[in-house]
Amino acid sequence: MAKRPAEEPYAPSESLKKGERPVQSQDNDEVGPFEDEFEDEFESEDEIFEAGVDGRPDIEREAEESRDAMEVDQQTFIPGRSKLKAGESLSPDTSTYEMLHTLSTTWPCLSFDVVRDSLGSNRKTYPATLYAVAGTQAESTRAKENELMVMKLSGLSRMDRDRDEESDDDDDGDENTEPILETKSIPLTSTTNRVRAHQYPQSDPSRIPTTFTATMTEAAEVLIHDITPHLSSFDNPGTMITPQQSRPSATLKMHKAEGYAVDWSPLVTQGKLLTGDNEGKIFVTTCENGGRWTTDNRPFTGHQGSVEDIQWSPNEKNVFASASSDGTVKVWDVRSKSRKPAVSVTVSSTDVNVMSWSHQTAHLLATGADDGEWAVWDLRQWKPSSSNASNPAPKPVASFNFNKEQITSIEWHPTDDSIVAVAAGDNTLTLWDLAVELDDEESRDTAGVQDVPPQLLFVHYMEMVKECHWHPQIPGCVMGTGGGGFG
């Protein structure tokens, strides 16, 4: 309803003398004997209902706004499903992120690993700091420009958002810092296919842990580096890294073909390494007393295709699993004299690219395949290869075909056995919560969006994403890498 205008206050044109009263001026428009002197001060009922915020009827104003409005696609855009049109790009909704930073490098780094640090576990304060190691993929004509990058990322602030009114202004000031990237380069002469880091504590607790990296290269070599001095130099300004410190501690040449499968045992402190190649062979290398690296020259064989990924058991130091392009996952015992698998299960009709063994629930194994499907398996249902062949093939306890391109990385949350991070060739890095029940009526509500599993927690668009890893000491922090850089 429109309001009556306030009456103009009386403002005499001349000053009055003491005792005089103001005299009302006589207008020509005098009110007749049958006229309502308040006639113009109220709108009619029709005017009350039709008048909008600008004095025009709502219908008229809305019609004009509709004509002038831009055409907007009201359908929900789902990365990996929906296609961008020419000239379109995606921007993240920053209100959904606690922290979001991107990093570009000279050459793509399609494999990396997070390095544990001494800054404490379960860190929730900002700005955050993390350490990582990554290998580059330079053009073949410039292979000598490849490097192993040891990185320290600091000053990682949280996203700007409305703070709690009770937050400390001083704390907010500390959080709003500029990110800083520090790197130490180790020269390589070949592209990195896969890199993984391993740490073991020093005998002197005051010294930082020894950190090794294992790099599988396109030249079919496995390079082991001690990057402890590189990490230490970040916190000791002026420290010089000598060429000798950047040379490999060992160069392993047992593979005759390149490969992508690398994993360090979490239960052998000094260092025990698995590597698998495109010929289906798997080798074990151990760090002996004195720091010498020894490879058992008897490979594990049994796959009919390339070994795409490999994982040590989180609780059995002699057991590991391997995933292959032959569609199988095999479980092995390193004590076996036959060097043959103890269990073999076909989990996909396509290549099995990646897998992850849960460190919280050791009988759960997640796999990701070339057809975009990923699944979770209960290893207690897998029977030894020598058992009765009539046993029914095991079924996954959960499987998802949300992604329509190959799964490129998969990893269980380090402390929550229901959360999984998945990267795929459709430029998505997704987070999943397997604790969501399908029969939970509330969880089925996907706001009208079709074919979205209720277990899907979060979708992050990342160009050509190849690998993702949780940070084991920063809850909820996921780092990914792809053709467009790090995120």
Side-chain angles (χ1 to χ4, degrees):
M1 174 184 288
K3 297 181 180 179
R4 286 196 305 174
E7 294 182 355
E8 291 292 334
Y10 172 74
S13 58
E14 299 179 358
S15 60
L16 299 177
K17 298 180 179 179
K18 183 177 181 181
E20 294 184 347
R21 295 182 180 181
V23 179
Q24 193 81 15
S25 62
Q26 298 294 328
D27 294 331
N28 294 331
D29 301 333
E30 295 184 356
V31 177
F34 300 103
E35 294 181 27
D36 184 356
E37 62 177 313
F38 300 110
E39 178 181 21
D40 295 332
E41 297 190 21
F42 293 98
E43 296 91 342
S44 68
E45 290 295 323
D46 291 340
E47 290 175 326
I48 292 173
F49 287 109
E50 290 183 3
V53 293
D54 57 358
R56 294 183 299 161
D58 290 338
I59 297 177
E60 179 183 334
R61 186 184 67 261
E62 291 171 358
E64 182 178 333
E65 290 175 351
S66 178
R67 290 193 303 269
D68 296 341
M70 296 176 59
E71 293 186 5
V72 178
D73 186 358
Q74 299 296 331
Q75 294 183 347
T76 301
F77 187 95
I78 305 177
R81 294 287 188 89
S82 308
K83 300 295 184 182
L84 290 172
K85 298 178 181 178
E88 290 183 334
S89 62
L90 286 180
S91 296
D93 179 0
T94 56
S95 67
T96 63
Y97 295 84
E98 181 74 10
M99 178 174 70
L100 178 63
H101 295 274
T102 58
L103 166 67
S104 298
T105 54
T106 304
W107 296 109
C109 298
L110 304 187
S111 182
F112 77 103
D113 204 4
V114 175
V115 178
R116 295 184 69 95
D117 54 55
S118 59
L119 301 178
S121 299
N122 199 32
R123 305 201 298 264
K124 298 180 181 179
T125 58
Y126 294 90
T129 298
L130 61 86
Y131 298 81
V133 60
T136 62
Q137 288 202 337
E139 295 177 359
S140 57
T141 56
R142 302 170 67 177
K144 291 184 179 180
E145 295 182 19
N146 279 298
E147 60 182 336
L148 189 65
M149 297 176 59
V150 184
M151 300 181 289
K152 177 183 178 181
L153 292 84
S154 59
L156 303 177
S157 59
R158 79 167 85 194
M159 301 303 297
D160 289 332
R161 58 177 65 180
D162 293 333
R163 308 284 193 203
D164 193 315
E165 292 181 359
E166 298 180 358
S167 64
D168 189 340
D169 292 338
D170 292 338
D171 292 341
D172 291 346
D174 292 339
E175 291 178 3
N176 296 328
T177 60
E178 291 295 325
I180 300 172
L181 170 65
E182 301 171 74
T183 64
K184 300 296 179 182
S185 177
I186 298 176
L188 299 177
T189 58
S190 181
T191 289
T192 295
N193 289 347
R194 191 73 53 86
V195 61
R196 293 292 180 263
H198 171 71
Q199 286 185 328
Y200 72 88
Q202 300 271 17
S203 56
D204 182 356
S206 65
R207 300 177 61 189
I208 67 171
T210 298
T211 304
F212 289 116
T213 60
T215 308
M216 286 202 78
T217 70
E218 196 175 44
E221 294 180 335
V222 179
L223 306 177
I224 298 177
H225 289 89
D226 182 354
I227 63 169
T228 309
H230 304 76
L231 293 169
S232 178
S233 68
F234 292 132
D235 302 314
N236 295 279
T239 302
M240 299 295 294
I241 302 298
T242 66
Q244 180 64 33
Q245 290 174 315
S246 292
R247 292 194 180 98
S249 301
T251 300
L252 310 179
K253 299 183 178 182
M254 62 280 191
H255 293 284
K256 304 306 178 186
E258 66 174 312
Y260 293 84
V262 183
D263 196 39
W264 292 95
S265 171
L267 303 176
V268 179
T269 304
Q270 197 164 354
K272 195 166 189 176
L273 181 69
L274 285 168
T275 53
D277 61 32
N278 288 351
E279 292 182 346
K281 295 180 180 179
I282 300 170
F283 290 90
V284 179
T285 301
T286 307
C287 184
E288 307 290 351
N289 292 332
R292 180 182 178 185
W293 297 90
T294 303
T295 301
D296 190 327
N297 59 10
R298 298 170 300 156
F300 292 88
T301 58
H303 280 298
Q304 302 304 309
S306 59
V307 180
E308 297 294 319
D309 203 0
I310 205 161
Q311 290 256 299
W312 285 101
S313 166
N315 64 345
E316 294 284 347
K317 70 176 184 179
N318 294 311
V319 176
F320 69 90
S322 59
S324 171
S325 61
D326 61 14
T328 69
V329 169
K330 300 184 187 297
V331 180
W332 314 71
D333 189 324
V334 295
R335 297 167 296 188
S336 170
K337 295 181 180 180
S338 68
R339 311 307 252 189
K340 298 298 181 183
V343 180
S344 180
V345 173
T346 299
V347 301
S348 177
S349 59
T350 62
D351 298 4
V352 185
N353 297 328
V354 290
M355 66 180 178
S356 179
W357 209 321
S358 172
H359 282 236
Q360 296 298 310
T361 306
H363 61 263
L364 293 181
L365 184 76
T367 59
D370 216 43
D371 59 2
E373 183 172 0
W374 70 274
V376 177
W377 304 83
D378 187 342
L379 297 180
R380 297 173 298 184
Q381 300 176 1
W382 290 17
K383 304 302 180 183
S385 302
S386 58
S387 64
N388 191 343
S390 63
N391 288 331
K395 301 294 184 182
V397 296
S399 63
F400 303 93
N401 59 1
F402 172 78
N403 299 99
K404 300 307 178 185
E405 299 290 341
Q406 72 275 14
I407 305 299
T408 60
S409 186
I410 190 167
E411 189 167 285
W412 290 93
H413 190 284
T415 59
D416 190 332
D417 61 1
S418 67
I419 305 296
V420 181
V422 179
D426 54 14
N427 300 324
T428 63
L429 197 166
T430 52
L431 304 182
W432 300 75
D433 185 358
L434 303 182
V436 175
E437 298 290 342
L438 289 174
D439 57 356
D440 183 350
E441 187 170 327
E442 184 178 351
S443 69
R444 284 188 226 156
D445 183 10
T446 56
V449 182
Q450 300 297 317
D451 302 324
V452 175
Q455 292 86 356
L456 180 59
L457 279 181
F458 195 82
V459 181
H460 175 71
Y461 181 85
M462 190 171 186
E463 185 180 357
M464 295 184 288
V465 58
K466 294 299 182 183
E467 270 191 19
C468 63
H469 297 296
W470 296 95
H471 195 293
Q473 297 167 277
I474 304 178
C477 177
V478 183
M479 187 173 179
T481 188
F486 291 91

